[in-house]
Amino acid sequence: MTTQIETHIQYNHSYMSTEDYMAQEEDWDRDLLLDPAWEKQQRKTFTAWCNSHLRKAGTQIENIEDDFRNGLKLMLLLEVISGERLPKPDKGKMRFHKIANVNKALDFIASKGVKLVSIGAEEIVDGNLKMTLGMIWTIILRFAIQDISVEETSAKEGLLLWCQRKTAPYRNVNVQNFHISWKDGLALCALIHRHRPDLIDYAKLRKDDPIGNLNTAFEVAEKYLDIPKMLDAEDIVNTPKPDEKAIMTYVSCFYHAFAGAEQAETAANRICKVLAVNQENEKLMQEYEKLASELLEWIRRTIPWLENRVPEKSMSAMQRKLEDFRDYRRVHKPPRVQEKCQLEINFNTLQTKLRLSNRPAFMPSEGKMVSDIANAWKGLEQVEKGYEEWLLTEIRRLERLDHLAEKFKQKASLHETWTRGKEDMLLQKDYESATLYEIRALLRKHEAFESDLAAHQDRVEQIAAIAQELNELDYHDAASVNSRCQAICDQWDTLGTLTQKRRDSLERVEKLLETIDQLYLEFAKRAAPFNNWMDGAIEDLQDMFIVHSIEEIQSLITAHEQFKATLPEADKERMAILGIQNEIQKIAQTYGIKLSGVNPYTNLSHLDVANKWDTVKQLVPHRDQTLQEELARQQANERLRRQFAAQANIIGPWIQTKMEEIGHISVDISGSLEDQMNHLKQHEQNIINYKTNIDKLEGDHQLIQEALIFDNKHTSYTMEHIRVGWEQLLTTIARTINEVENQILTRDAKGISQEQMNEFRASFNHFDRKRNGMMDPDDFRACLISMGYDLGEVEFARIMTLVDPNNTGVVTFQAFIDFMTRETAETDTAEQVMASFKILASDKNYITIEELRRELPPEQAEYCISRMTKYAGADAVSGALDYVSFSSALYGESDL
């Protein structure tokens, strides 16, 4: 069976029936026999051929057209070459006795499926040379040539192919026919040398000595091979086209003489096939190892980069990190995803080929299993996800830090401006030389300062809180912030102490003070908080803000509108304070009081209040504009969110639907595997065509990230979800196509019909309770029992080692098919390869390097020599190799 398969692959010929072949010979050109040269060659060749068989019966013929006339030697010839008994011949010498004997011979020939056209017993009895030669040629064809079979070709074509293959390595030999290709005698010498190199020194033969070459072949064949001389060298050389039938008759004798050597050639072919399969599998294994190593090395180099979480000090540096990560996602990772998918496909294809060629399953190097690569890939994706989250968190932190740092500087600058000169003022001893009125004025002034100091307490606390938050968020310039904050706090403590000391001093001399003008006091008391309110309003109007949604900016706008609603009331307070100043001016004019121009209780003047009020009025519209611009930006961000969500909400379900459709196709039994493959290919093309939608979504996602948008309430799908789903979809369609390809390969290799495949799929689907394309061991046991298997624990454990060699705990559909068809597989075994080597070694327990190089093609011979170990048996000779252990190793078996 195996030999038939091999030859069918190499040659596309078919066997011809006896009738077909003989029908081709029915119209042989009998007129050519009239050619004296051809007639002479055929007479001599056919006579010698007949005598080579008749001498086994102790007789021979001298004249071919006379000695067969009575039919007796003709019947004897047929008995010798067929090994069968013919009817008893008639003993008489009359013509009708001779015709009867010849007819018995012709009837026997016809019983062997040979059609005799235009050849009658009367013509043989009459000694018709042309008909006698035609009859003998028919006998030669039937009993010497027709049964020749080489590589699915038989008879003439088979004999020609045999000659071509045996003489192919020899120089100056090119066998294309059975006439002129043999004129120089080198082809005959090559046939003898190929099988018996000890009989002829082929290197000494010359193409320009055809008669010498032919006579050498004739003499050697007659002396050592028991092949009688059937041809004359001079006749062959001097004839433009030697007789084909004579040549074929003579060459067929060589075929039968060397028929035993064909067994060695068949064995060599078997070994070549086995070694070729083994070499191809080793190449696939090496390619898998190389691809797996490169992918694992890339993962090993990439993970430390993703695990590097050293924060940058500036937003621009972090933005560069984010851009590098986007390049990794868009440029560097997709080819690796394809490599991972291709690696799984190559691994599955290799395992299928190993199973089909009866080889042990491929076990990659340690750490390079598909599961190891999947785990490494999973680890990469986990680190990748963590790195992206860290990047976004770090950008938010830096954004918050920049905002807080600017706010700290603004508030600190305002506070430092306010405290400038306050210590010198509190250290003054002007009250020592002041009048009573001046003392009281100083006291009131100090009270106003204390009120102002208390009002600034909140600002100092805000500065300290901002500094603390900057430290908690690990601000890169925290040292300078802490130093500045500490200076402010220390100064604030000093101001508190000095304020208390000055109050004590003023109270000691309070009895010396006169009541000061209540209007000045009232002005100072009302102007100070109003001024503080204006400071706060100015600070709030100039305050920076950061928002991430329309709701947040709307909240700020609402607060601003509420603030503007308080402006009329504040304007009334301003008019009241200015009214106090006007009253002072009126009293002074009325009573002729000379004013110093400075309110003794406050440094504020009515001009200060007016100027700050103008400042507040100018900042309000500017604040309006800033808020509206931010509102427009948030609205644009909202449009980006909705645009992304609209696409994501379509793409996400589409990917899920495609995953489900692929799953349904993989378990569908309504059509053939080719139908499944066509459907899967259509889905694959649809997926490829859909890639533009993914790319467009990636573009929208990039716009969202560039706009620093971190949330989207309009969709539950993130870009990461879409990417993972897309990668899973690509992997699933590729893996499913590969599984169906392997099922087709298994079906064709094992000869499984579509109905059987559907039955296998139906049984598998019935017991695949989870509908995930895999059966648990318990479900698999139930499936086998339902199909008539009588299973004990030991037998079931043995079967599980076949269908689940890696102990994954599940049985795939491919493993199920392999098991169900394992008993019918017709593949080479280690014993068959050993037997083939034994033939090449002439039944020895070892084989030599010379025998391997002589019988096998160079590439396969060197492959065996490089891998066979030395033979260590008692009968070992120099250069002996152990083909038994080598054959076992090919199939993963221990030495037999």
Side-chain angles (χ1 to χ4, degrees), residues 48-76:
W49 183 84
C50 292
N51 286 332
S52 70
H53 293 285
L54 288 172
R55 69 185 178 186
K56 299 175 183 177
T59 186
Q60 64 179 14
I61 62 173
E62 298 294 334
N63 191 311
I64 194 168
E65 69 267 31
D66 293 331
D67 293 348
F68 286 135
R69 293 178 65 182
N70 61 6
L72 296 176
K73 289 188 177 181
L74 179 60
M75 294 178 68
L76 181 61

Side-chain angles (χ1 to χ4, degrees), residues 89 126 169 174 185 258 346 398 408 430 491 621 722 746 754 821 877:
D126 292 337
N174 182 17
F258 296 135
N346 290 351
L398 289 176
F408 174 86
D430 50 346
Q491 185 186 38
I722 298 299
T746 301
Q754 185 61 46
T821 58
V877 299

Side-chain angles (χ1 to χ4, degrees), residues 592-606:
I593 298 174
K594 186 177 181 181
L595 300 174
S596 62
V598 178
N599 191 322
Y601 306 113
T602 180
N603 290 328
L604 291 172
S605 68
H606 65 287

Side-chain angles (χ1 to χ4, degrees), residues 283-490:
K283 181 180 179 182
L284 291 175
M285 294 175 190
Q286 292 170 0
E287 290 176 354
Y288 173 88
E289 291 281 342
K290 179 176 179 295
L291 189 58
S293 298
E294 291 175 353
L295 184 58
L296 288 172
E297 177 61 19
W298 178 81
I299 294 174
R300 186 191 66 79
R301 294 196 312 268
T302 304
I303 286 179
W305 174 66
L306 294 173
E307 288 177 339
N308 181 14
R309 308 292 168 83
V310 177
E312 299 291 343
K313 295 181 179 181
S314 65
M315 177 68 77
S316 60
M318 287 306 298
Q319 288 286 5
R320 286 193 296 272
K321 277 184 176 289
L322 181 60
E323 188 60 33
D324 291 341
F325 182 73
R326 288 172 182 158
D327 288 341
Y328 158 80
R329 273 276 181 77
R330 293 191 302 261
V331 179
H332 302 292
K333 185 181 178 184
R336 300 299 178 177
V337 173
Q338 288 295 111
E339 290 179 6
K340 175 177 174 291
C341 180
Q342 189 61 44
L343 191 68
E344 295 177 358
I345 291 173
N346 290 351
F347 181 84
N348 293 335
T349 301
L350 174 60
Q351 298 294 45
T352 299
K353 288 186 176 180
L354 289 173
R355 285 195 299 272
L356 293 177
S357 60
N358 201 25
R359 266 57 169 189
F362 170 55
M363 291 297 294
S365 303
E366 183 177 358
K368 296 180 182 178
M369 293 287 292
V370 172
S371 58
D372 296 327
I373 294 173
N375 290 334
W377 189 266
K378 182 179 180 181
L380 172 70
E381 292 185 331
Q382 290 176 347
V383 174
E384 176 183 313
K385 181 179 179 182
Y387 184 75
E388 183 178 28
E389 293 174 352
W390 173 77
L391 280 177
L392 298 178
T393 301
E394 193 63 18
I395 288 175
R396 293 191 190 100
R397 184 184 70 85
L398 289 176
E399 184 181 30
R400 174 68 177 166
L401 283 175
D402 289 345
H403 172 70
L404 289 175
E406 190 63 27
K407 193 170 185 177
F408 174 86
K409 292 177 183 178
Q410 184 184 35
K411 288 185 176 292
S413 297
L414 289 172
H415 178 78
E416 289 167 349
T417 300
W418 178 83
T419 58
R420 190 175 297 119
K422 293 297 189 291
E423 289 185 27
D424 294 338
M425 180 195 73
L426 292 173
L427 290 172
Q428 288 180 358
K429 295 184 178 181
D430 50 346
Y431 52 84
E432 293 179 351
S433 59
T435 63
L436 178 60
Y437 296 102
E438 290 173 341
I439 290 299
R440 289 195 175 275
L442 290 175
L443 184 59
R444 299 298 182 267
K445 181 179 180 181
H446 188 70
E447 290 174 353
F449 172 76
E450 287 179 329
S451 178
D452 200 8
L453 186 68
H456 279 78
Q457 179 67 35
D458 289 341
R459 181 176 295 165
V460 175
E461 291 175 356
Q462 290 175 6
I463 292 172
I466 293 172
Q468 181 179 356
E469 188 172 358
L470 286 171
N471 279 275
E472 290 173 353
L473 293 176
D474 196 22
Y475 182 56
H476 69 278
D477 198 17
S480 63
V481 170
N482 292 336
S483 176
R484 191 172 184 181
C485 181
Q486 188 62 44
I488 291 173
C489 292
D490 291 344

